[in-house]
Amino acid sequence: MADQPQTIKSITEFHRLRGLPGPVHPLVSVVRFEDMKYNSKHPQSWVLDFYSIALKSNFKAKLKYGHQVYDFDEGIMTFMAPGQKIGIEYNPDQPVDHSGWLLIFHPDFLWGTPMAKSIRQYEFFDYAVHEALFLSAEEEELLNGIMANIGDEYRRSIDPFTQNIIIGQLEVLLSYAQRFYQRQFLTRKISNHDVLMRLETFLDACFHDQQLNRNGIPTVLSVAEALHISPNYLSNLLKTLTGQSTQQHIQDKLINKAKEMLSTKSLSISEVAYALGFNYPQSFSKLFKSKTQVSPAEFRQQMTNS
């Protein structure tokens, strides 16, 4: 029988499951991995109803995302939004001795603050496990310091300033994470170059003769699935490396194919639109003009006169 994930609805329930004392605050908690207890009775996969940010070192377990299992043995940082499924596979013969911090907070903790909306801008909460943030020693030390600050404030007596101070530190933490992801996109050149090559190969296959007419225009989701990368991670990687999102790459490939067909084939503009996977020629003409500043008919006329 397939493993059924256990839904953990509250911070208190998480503490109880991991053998931790009850949380100081019902909506936010900062704990150290060294203090958590693990045993075979714990669920192998679960869904959290709250956000989690983990900063781990010496991580010897295997993280499972979907059907893929990934090993990490260096400083990593992962971000999980509410509702995502995650699993961990442990070696029973090897003690769980990784270190680091776990910050968990319920969406209600952000209620009434700008962060309730702005947290959506941090797209790495929707990245897959294998798209974790790999940290240098200096970066890890800096983020450990912020986590410690949040932990210190969390353990103080709750007063009217507690929420704003913790959220302020959280904003700093997430801003550094954005910076370090930009660094990761630029420095992991070999793997990122491979992504670009696979992207071009996949799009070339999609735009081969008759493929668009049969299968339709590829979507960001279909491209990401083909490359085994989450949609947000792929678009952010491409923006950093090329200045364009996945959608823009798809549209540029589409426009280039359209130009080729308008220049070399004796098809009507409607026939070109249908061949390119558009259901309505007007949609094709609108996109073409927005990208080239001329209509398909004007472009064809320019090619004829040149």
Side-chain angles (χ1 to χ4, degrees):
M1 181 181 294
D3 176 42
Q4 293 297 316
Q6 176 177 337
T7 299
I8 303 175
K9 297 182 177 181
S10 68
I11 308 294
T12 300
E13 183 180 355
F14 181 88
H15 271 241
R16 183 169 58 249
L17 184 66
R18 289 302 180 204
L20 297 165
V24 177
H25 194 294
L27 298 178
V28 61
S29 178
V30 182
V31 295
R32 298 191 65 88
F33 283 103
E34 298 94 316
D35 298 330
M36 295 187 197
K37 295 181 174 60
Y38 303 86
N39 61 55
S40 59
K41 296 181 180 180
H42 290 158
Q44 294 300 302
S45 63
W46 58 89
V47 174
L48 304 180
D49 280 353
F50 40 85
Y51 290 94
S52 72
I53 301 175
L55 202 169
K56 306 175 184 131
S57 297
N58 305 314
F59 190 66
K60 302 302 181 184
K62 296 180 179 180
L63 285 173
K64 188 173 184 181
Y65 184 86
H67 298 293
Q68 299 292 320
V69 177
Y70 304 92
D71 286 297
F72 297 114
D73 57 3
E74 55 185 296
I76 61 167
M77 199 165 192
T78 56
F79 304 82
M80 300 288 291
Q84 291 177 301
K85 178 183 175 182
I86 187 70
I88 295 183
E89 295 182 0
Y90 297 103
N91 182 346
D93 299 323
Q94 183 176 7
V96 179
D97 60 354
H98 59 273
S99 59
W101 298 88
L102 177 67
L103 167 62
I104 50 180
F105 55 98
H106 197 278
D108 288 352
F109 182 69
L110 308 179
W111 185 256
T113 73
M115 178 66 83
K117 290 185 178 179
S118 65
I119 196 168
R120 299 171 190 168
Q121 77 186 37
Y122 301 103
E123 295 177 326
F124 41 73
F125 277 105
D126 293 319
Y127 288 175
V129 168
H130 65 286
E131 296 156 357
L133 179 56
F134 292 82
L135 302 168
S136 69
E138 181 179 356
E139 291 168 350
E140 186 175 351
E141 181 179 3
L142 190 154
L143 294 176
N144 268 322
I146 299 173
M147 281 284 202
N149 290 339
I150 295 175
D152 289 343
E153 181 60 32
Y154 161 78
R155 282 181 284 273
R156 296 178 189 273
S157 298
I158 299 175
D159 61 30
F161 300 97
T162 301
Q163 182 187 34
N164 287 339
I165 292 174
I166 291 177
I167 287 178
Q169 290 290 312
L170 176 60
E171 288 179 321
V172 173
L173 180 73
L174 297 178
S175 293
Y176 273 116
Q178 281 186 313
R179 170 185 284 179
F180 297 156
Y181 259 117
Q182 291 294 306
R183 184 269 308 153
Q184 180 163 299
F185 291 147
L186 293 171
T187 57
R188 296 170 73 88
K189 292 182 179 178
I190 295 177
S191 60
N192 293 339
H193 179 71
D194 177 66
V195 170
L196 290 176
M197 293 292 290
R198 289 191 291 124
L199 171 67
E200 288 302 313
T201 299
F202 176 75
L203 290 180
D204 284 342
C206 290
F207 284 83
H208 194 266
D209 288 346
Q210 304 303 316
Q211 291 298 315
L212 290 171
N213 182 260
R214 286 196 295 264
N215 303 325
I217 302 169
T219 64
V220 172
L221 180 59
S222 66
V223 172
E225 287 178 344
L227 300 182
H228 305 292
I229 299 175
S230 66
N232 283 340
Y233 189 92
L234 177 60
S235 280
N236 289 336
L237 170 63
L238 292 176
K239 284 179 184 177
T240 300
L241 298 180
T242 69
Q244 293 186 308
S245 67
T246 310
Q247 184 65 38
Q248 289 171 317
H249 275 269
I250 295 170
Q251 290 179 347
D252 281 356
K253 182 73 73 172
L254 183 68
I255 295 303
N256 287 336
K257 184 68 174 179
K259 288 180 177 178
E260 175 189 325
M261 296 179 70
L262 290 168
S263 302
T264 62
K265 296 183 182 293
S266 58
L267 299 174
S268 69
I269 292 173
S270 293
E271 288 172 329
V272 170
Y274 293 133
L276 291 173
F278 286 88
N279 293 323
Y280 304 101
Q282 300 94 323
S283 299
F284 164 63
S285 296
K286 182 178 180 180
L287 176 64
F288 190 92
K289 188 165 187 177
S290 71
K291 292 293 185 179
T292 66
Q293 312 309 314
V294 295
S295 69
E298 290 169 336
F299 175 81
R300 172 169 275 173
Q301 187 64 41
Q302 289 175 357
M303 292 299 101
T304 302
N305 295 335
S306 61

